[in-house]
Amino acid sequence: MISNFNDYLKKYKESVESPEKFWSNYAENFKWEKKWDDILEWDFRVPKVEWFRNSKLNITTNCLDRHLKKHSKKIAYKWIPNDPKEDSISITFEQLHVEVCKFSNVLTKNGVKKGDRVCIYMPMLIELTIAVLACARVGAIHSVVFAGFSAQALSERINDATCKLIITTDGSYRGDKEIKLKEICDEALENTPTIKSCIVYKRTGSEVKMRNGRDKWWHEEMKGTTNIFEPIVVDAEDPLFILYTSGSTGKPKGIQHSTAGYMIYTSFSFKNVFQYEEDDIYWCTADIGWITGHSYIIYGPLLNGASSILFEGIPSYPDFGRFWKIVEENKVNIFYTAPTAIRALEAKGLRYVKPYDLSSLKVLGTVGEPINEDAWNWYNENIGEKDIPIVDTWWQTETGGIMISNLAGVTPSKATFATLPLPGIQPCIMDNDGNELNNLNVEGKLCIKFPWPSMARTIYGDHKRFKDTYFSTFENMYFTGDGCIRDNEGMYRITGRVDDVIIVSGHNLGTAEIESAIDEHPNVCETAIVGYPHKIKGNAIYAFVITQGDIKNEINTRAEINNLIVKNVGPIAKVEKIQFVKGLPKTRSGKIMRRILRKIASNDFSNFGDTSTLLDPNVVEEIIKEKI
Ligand code: PRX
């Protein structure tokens, strides 16, 4: 583990000068069925990246079996239910190993083979981790879909990855709500011809319809299965999972990660960023439906044999002190959350923090969007008591692991700055003309110049889109889609997306998906959505909507529009404000000038930049005049 700043500088230098040596040294810590022939082959122009070539392994051997000798009785997860009156459940590494083996047998019995895609649509339960790991153990590719997505969004993702089997639950609890997941799943499965089986874990006990021949109960399938399952050996570059993320345009992208490089990097980054030590209690509040949950609830912690809290609920239930109550009761040492949660808790005041003893905390973390100074200070003063490091971890679904972050207590931290790259990560800042900005005090677009082990390998089924999205803006570079500043000390600060992705409460949302949902309304001709700053959510969505026909009741129409979004995408994508307009600012070639709409949505009516290509400048005047 990197233990001080000089050590970081030394390791960083080594990792850049001899990346192959650096990563192969670290890879020696793992169990391989066969070691690599060579470490790295790459060409960003194709793009092609292969790490630990021709090595053979199974990641679950490294997450589970490898720890059984020393840590069999150690807790892997302590599950904390949504309702504090319900009992928590702990599972040791040994028990998790047993359950994963049993469920691997269930998957095999249901015809799942190496390379098959399995969709997982579940709330935060231990069984979700079992389902994910069992897929990896049988060599199948898991595609976890966040359980807040709608039936339509779920079926789109199932069809894109042509999944064979889906794992879900009867229902889920979120605060005082019960969500009937199986019903949503049933609706999705009306349009998913490739799904042959649906395995249902009983969580809420609510009544569900089970379709003969397709639907099976988890507990019945598990009955009588053996707890022996020899892991299926896969190649280093065999895909481990697909995870969908929104893009600027078009449908969501199935980001595909491979096995060995992802394993090496999630393990390395978890240990070093959080400075994880053997007996630490670690808690990441993310949902496993997002990349943070994949890398830093499942793989990173398990690879390090860590004990994690797995929380089913939400920060506001039964009250806004829930996070801190869990920290106190479980003596959490490392706590990793999102700026949107910090802001929401800050807004409720210290009366929800003060009653709790947070002295067990050693490290705080943040991820998912830029953290504003006010939220950083609040976190630092009231949760960390100005005494413990905050790691501001910048990374993406596509990067697989944390890329730019301070290492807790080891490298310097700076409010609102992700600070310095991890070993092996070579960031650079580009201007719009494709020149690299090598100096201090520069601002531009963030790219990465050299491959790192956990980088995405492709977009499932669409390598061309992968190339166009990430490797075509700048020659021979991975383009992140983020804007970035390098300050006078060489520290990096991420300023936000420079494309049409909007990050709302830490969730990436693509404009195209939401606009096409709104366009389904019979009175809507055309829509443009943009993000604007929001105190708690970071960004909220503002929709400019051109209508046709007679709208009798604007309030109803607004509600109908949001219902369509909930149906097509999910509640996370609801729009905050809807303005009915007569026209949208378009260029002569018909492209919507979102930059102008973004300014209007944020109440900034000055300096719209170059508007000479606008087809009809009066449209802008009119929108401003009628702004809500
Ligand atoms: O804009 C950056 C922002 O989140 C984007 C990636 O989103 P997603 O793929 O959903 O993954 C989120 C969890 C890793 C990035 O392009 N982002 C993420 N972390 C930070 C951040 N922006 C600023 N600071 C961060 N620490």
Side-chain angles (χ1 to χ4, degrees):
M1 182 146 77
I2 297 169
S3 53
N4 57 53
F5 191 43
N6 279 337
D7 191 22
Y8 161 78
L9 293 173
K10 186 170 150 268
K11 296 253 167 54
Y12 186 77
K13 192 162 176 277
E14 278 169 24
S15 76
V16 171
E17 286 172 358
S18 340
E20 305 198 351
K21 186 159 158 244
F22 182 85
W23 290 116
S24 63
N25 278 347
Y26 187 71
E28 293 294 344
N29 294 312
F30 296 83
K31 188 167 181 323
W32 303 87
E33 297 305 321
K34 175 186 169 292
K35 288 232 176 116
W36 46 91
D37 294 338
D38 56 67
I39 309 288
L40 172 65
E41 189 168 303
W42 69 289
D43 185 346
F44 277 177
R45 287 164 306 185
V46 179
K48 168 187 167 172
V49 172
E50 292 181 4
W51 282 92
F52 307 101
R53 280 158 46 84
N54 299 326
S55 64
K56 308 281 178 208
L57 73 158
N58 185 288
I59 196 168
T60 70
T61 315
N62 287 290
C63 289
L64 301 171
D65 309 49
R66 192 163 55 105
H67 304 306
L68 293 185
K69 250 199 203 137
K70 234 172 101 192
H71 292 313
S72 63
K73 300 285 181 269
K74 189 172 172 183
I75 305 286
Y77 292 111
K78 177 171 177 187
W79 175 77
I80 299 188
N82 175 64
D83 182 349
K85 289 195 234 56
E86 204 183 323
D87 289 337
S88 60
I89 298 172
S90 292
I91 186 162
T92 63
F93 275 88
E94 188 177 48
Q95 291 164 333
L96 186 59
H97 178 257
V98 165
E99 295 304 308
V100 169
C101 286
K102 284 173 73 176
F103 200 67
S104 300
N105 282 314
V106 170
L107 289 177
T108 307
K109 195 170 71 183
N110 280 281
V112 174
K113 290 194 280 302
K114 179 167 180 273
D116 287 342
R117 276 79 53 214
V118 172
C119 181
I120 303 177
Y121 184 67
M122 294 175 87
M124 290 287 283
L125 300 173
I126 288 175
E127 286 68 24
L128 167 53
T129 68
I130 295 169
V132 164
L133 292 164
C135 286
R137 198 157 178 96
V138 306
I141 303 167
H142 54 78
S143 170
V144 181
V145 176
F146 172 60
F149 276 118
S150 70
Q152 186 162 330
L154 174 61
S155 65
E156 263 171 38
R157 285 158 177 77
I158 292 173
N159 289 335
D160 186 77
T162 55
C163 296
K164 192 170 191 177
L165 181 141
I166 181 165
I167 308 161
T168 189
T169 63
D170 50 355
S172 69
Y173 297 118
R174 268 182 81 75
D176 54 11
K177 288 202 201 80
E178 184 184 329
I179 299 144
K180 300 204 180 295
L181 276 196
K182 176 64 166 57
E183 260 176 31
I184 301 174
C185 198
D186 284 342
E187 196 187 327
L189 297 190
E190 305 258 305
N191 305 308
T192 54
T194 54
I195 291 283
K196 300 286 173 265
S197 320
C198 172
I199 299 181
V200 188
Y201 179 78
K202 194 178 266 189
R203 165 66 185 116
T204 58
S206 65
E207 210 175 299
V208 297
K209 287 198 199 95
M210 298 292 276
R211 182 184 287 189
N212 238 344
R214 185 193 70 187
D215 299 350
K216 295 153 194 189
W217 285 109
W218 174 295
H219 57 272
E220 285 174 5
E221 290 291 292
M222 286 288 255
K223 240 184 253 162
T225 46
T226 79
N227 57 12
I228 297 166
F229 189 95
E230 280 305 311
I232 301 296
V233 172
V234 304
D235 188 88
E237 283 299 323
D238 278 339
L240 175 64
F241 67 86
I242 298 166
L243 184 59
Y244 285 85
T245 188
S246 300
S248 294
T249 52
K251 57 180 191 170
K253 298 170 289 195
I255 300 298
Q256 183 178 310
H257 282 281
S258 67
T259 305
Y262 178 82
M263 174 177 84
I264 296 304
Y265 195 78
T266 51
S267 169
F268 175 86
S269 50
F270 174 78
K271 195 172 177 62
N272 283 290
V273 169
F274 299 109
Q275 292 287 299
Y276 167 75
E277 286 171 302
E278 177 132 352
D279 292 323
D280 285 342
I281 304 292
Y282 166 81
W283 181 20
C284 167
T285 69
D287 192 288
I288 290 172
W290 310 113
I291 191 69
T292 308
H294 280 56
S295 301
Y296 299 111
I297 296 179
I298 299 192
Y299 291 109
L302 290 180
L303 287 163
N304 283 281
S307 297
S308 296
I309 301 291
L310 188 71
F311 178 44
E312 182 186 34
I314 53 175
S316 54
Y317 183 80
D319 64 47
F320 285 87
R322 188 75 194 276
F323 272 6
W324 317 126
K325 186 172 165 39
I326 294 174
V327 168
E328 176 185 276
E329 285 176 357
N330 297 282
K331 299 200 170 24
V332 170
N333 304 115
I334 304 170
F335 178 73
Y336 189 29
T337 196
T340 187
I342 298 167
R343 289 190 297 260
L345 297 174
E346 177 187 359
K348 295 293 163 187
L350 287 178
R351 69 192 174 100
Y352 290 105
V353 182
K354 288 287 176 227
Y356 300 104
D357 174 5
L358 305 179
S359 60
S360 58
L361 289 170
K362 297 198 304 190
V363 176
L364 299 175
T366 150
V367 59
E369 60 187 302
I371 181 163
N372 48 309
E373 192 151 0
D374 185 51
W376 195 97
N377 287 335
W378 186 85
Y379 201 29
N380 183 37
E381 281 161 27
N382 301 298
I383 309 304
E385 301 203 322
K386 292 191 182 167
D387 200 32
I388 60 173
I390 297 176
V391 288
D392 181 353
T393 65
W394 171 82
W395 58 296
Q396 309 178 296
T397 305
E398 296 85 340
T399 69
I402 298 168
M403 303 286 281
I404 303 182
S405 170
N406 46 321
L407 312 181
V410 165
T411 64
S413 75
K414 186 167 184 173
T416 77
F417 280 73
T419 71
L420 298 172
L422 262 66
I425 307 306
Q426 300 189 32
C428 61
I429 301 182
M430 307 295 290
D431 71 11
N432 285 335
D433 302 321
N435 304 309
E436 185 175 346
L437 304 172
N438 284 308
N439 298 334
L440 299 177
N441 281 322
V442 290
E443 177 163 8
K445 292 177 175 167
L446 179 62
C447 290
I448 315 286
K449 326 195 232 200
F450 193 83
W452 61 102
S454 65
M455 66 186 295
R457 300 301 196 255
T458 192
I459 291 174
Y460 184 79
D462 199 347
H463 200 63
K464 180 173 179 302
R465 189 174 181 201
F466 186 60
K467 179 177 176 170
D468 292 347
T469 311
Y470 304 106
F471 297 90
S472 300
T473 315
F474 299 103
E475 211 186 325
N476 225 1
M477 306 245 170
Y478 167 80
F479 173 44
T480 64
D482 281 327
C484 179
I485 290 170
R486 192 192 296 120
D487 75 355
N488 55 0
E489 296 174 296
M491 301 263 204
Y492 291 85
R493 176 183 182 185
I494 314 301
T495 51
R497 301 292 308 181
V498 292
D499 55 12
D500 292 335
V501 170
I502 309 171
I503 304 187
V504 180
S505 299
H507 304 316
N508 270 12
L509 300 172
T511 46
E513 273 171 289
I514 301 173
E515 286 167 1
S516 67
I518 300 177
D519 290 347
E520 277 190 13
H521 192 283
N523 291 113
V524 170
C525 301
E526 199 180 356
T527 309
I529 65 156
V530 293
Y532 70 98
H534 184 279
K535 237 180 141 227
I536 307 284
K537 300 176 178 181
N539 295 293
I541 301 175
Y542 195 117
F544 296 89
V545 178
I546 307 179
T547 53
Q548 62 186 359
D550 197 13
I551 293 188
K552 293 202 179 65
N553 183 330
E554 288 201 356
I555 296 176
N556 284 354
T557 309
R558 287 199 173 89
E560 285 156 14
I561 285 175
N562 261 325
N563 287 342
L564 280 168
I565 295 172
V566 171
K567 178 172 154 277
N568 284 272
V569 188
I572 51 170
K574 274 193 193 172
V575 297
E576 195 86 9
K577 290 186 183 167
I578 300 173
Q579 180 175 350
F580 297 114
V581 296
K582 296 200 180 64
L584 292 168
K586 287 192 181 169
T587 61
R588 277 177 241 283
S589 57
K591 212 168 166 268
I592 297 169
M593 287 177 97
R594 285 176 201 275
R595 150 175 82 75
I596 294 181
L597 293 177
R598 260 182 231 124
K599 287 203 145 211
I600 297 176
S602 345
N603 282 329
D604 174 1
F605 307 130
S606 63
N607 192 10
F608 288 129
D610 179 10
T611 51
S612 60
T613 55
L614 259 184
L615 184 64
D616 178 6
N618 292 330
V619 168
V620 178
E621 293 302 317
E622 203 148 311
I623 295 177
I624 295 174
K625 218 166 57 204
E626 293 183 2
K627 182 163 188 290
I628 39 174

